[in-house]
Amino acid sequence: MSAIDEATLWDRLANARKIPLNPTWLGEIFSPSLSDELRFAVAERLGMLAETGWPIIQTLIQHYGIRPELIHAAGLCHQPEAKDWLLTQLNQSNDPDALLLNALSCWGAELTLSQFEHILQLPGQAQRLAGLNLLGFKSHQLQSLELLQLCEPALQDWRDPVVIACIRLLQRRDDIIISDRLTTLVQEGSDAAAEAALRALGCMATTHSKLALKLLSAELTNPERRTQARRQLQQQY
């Protein structure tokens, strides 16, 4: 498609509030020949049309195959049939990419523990971050020990963004074993992980987390971390 034609399509998408988009028309203009950005924009509009968009997304998948922008659209439409299709893609893949995992995010509570075990051991940073986001929708169904066991590969990750995302998930739990694991991270983790773990202990504000901060503020040999622990402890009172 020419640049002029694409500009026309962009204008039409931009005026969607004034003139609602017809899902059939969106399906007709979708093409692998469109630029990546426009292809995703069209697919996103289809996803936002929910129950009227999903049948068109299905037709496009049948015609063009499983494409990243159509996976994204399936996640956006929030339809039960789309969920089933996405779960099928997950079950058929040994190495699901972050796009598929993010498309499933709002259905994270429906994934099994074995699926989470697999996802959170995937090697890619984007995959692990998407897996932790998914786990956020499941965590309320889990005991603290179960949650901590699932999170352990992420807590041992060498990449700070993964560890920090995991800490933020765990800090929602007011549990002794969570406080103890965060304390270990303060002692043994990277500077960024230690800072995030100290903030998490401060946010938890339980008797045990306060005790952990008190011990850390007295026993840490790293002066900067010790100062941070004292600061978090002072904010408790």
Side-chain angles (χ1 to χ4, degrees), residues 144-185:
S144 293
L145 182 58
E146 290 177 311
L147 179 61
L148 195 55
Q149 288 172 338
L150 287 175
C151 286
E152 196 55 39
L155 291 174
Q156 295 184 27
D157 200 296
W158 56 273
R159 294 160 295 201
D160 284 335
V162 176
V163 181
I164 292 170
C166 192
I167 290 170
R168 288 174 177 164
L169 173 61
L170 289 174
Q171 76 182 43
R172 304 175 193 170
R173 284 296 181 92
D174 299 335
D175 197 288
I176 291 176
I177 63 170
I178 302 297
S179 296
D180 288 344
R181 187 63 182 91
L182 293 175
T183 299
T184 301
L185 275 174

Side-chain angles (χ1 to χ4, degrees), residues 32-229:
S33 65
L34 297 174
S35 64
D36 290 349
E37 189 176 2
L38 181 55
R39 214 166 52 243
F40 264 88
V42 172
E44 189 169 85
R45 292 289 183 173
L46 278 168
M48 292 169 65
L49 290 174
E51 68 274 6
T52 59
W54 170 240
I56 306 299
I57 297 168
Q58 278 185 301
T59 300
L60 293 175
I61 292 170
Q62 292 167 2
H63 191 68
Y64 296 114
I66 301 172
R67 301 181 59 87
E69 60 273 12
L70 298 178
I71 291 174
H72 178 59
L76 285 176
C77 73
H78 293 176
Q79 298 303 295
E81 297 86 354
K83 175 200 68 176
D84 294 340
W85 181 77
L86 289 167
L87 286 173
T88 297
Q89 306 314 305
L90 178 65
N91 291 330
Q92 292 177 350
S93 175
N94 289 323
D95 188 24
D97 61 22
L99 185 72
L100 174 59
L101 298 175
N102 282 322
L104 276 163
S105 62
C106 67
W107 295 297
E110 301 195 28
L111 270 64
T112 65
L113 292 185
S114 60
Q115 286 174 316
F116 276 113
E117 287 173 359
H118 176 65
I119 291 168
L120 291 169
Q121 292 184 47
L122 293 171
Q125 175 172 310
Q127 290 169 308
R128 290 199 174 188
L129 290 172
L132 289 168
N133 181 52
L134 270 171
L135 186 57
F137 292 90
K138 180 76 171 182
S139 60
H140 68 281
Q141 299 177 0
L142 305 177
Q143 299 294 323
S144 293
L145 182 58
E146 290 177 311
L147 179 61
L148 195 55
Q149 288 172 338
L150 287 175
C151 286
E152 196 55 39
L155 291 174
Q156 295 184 27
D157 200 296
W158 56 273
R159 294 160 295 201
D160 284 335
V162 176
V163 181
I164 292 170
C166 192
I167 290 170
R168 288 174 177 164
L169 173 61
L170 289 174
Q171 76 182 43
R172 304 175 193 170
R173 284 296 181 92
D174 299 335
D175 197 288
I176 291 176
I177 63 170
I178 302 297
S179 296
D180 288 344
R181 187 63 182 91
L182 293 175
T183 299
T184 301
L185 275 174
V186 174
Q187 296 166 327
E188 302 175 0
S190 70
D191 287 343
E195 182 179 357
L198 283 166
R199 290 181 182 274
L201 287 168
C203 289
M204 291 168 72
T206 63
T207 300
H208 193 77
S209 65
K210 291 177 184 177
L211 178 59
L213 286 170
K214 185 175 182 179
L215 292 173
L216 288 167
S217 65
E219 297 177 359
L220 282 170
T221 56
N222 182 306
E224 184 174 348
R225 296 188 190 187
R226 189 169 62 246
T227 299
Q228 291 172 348

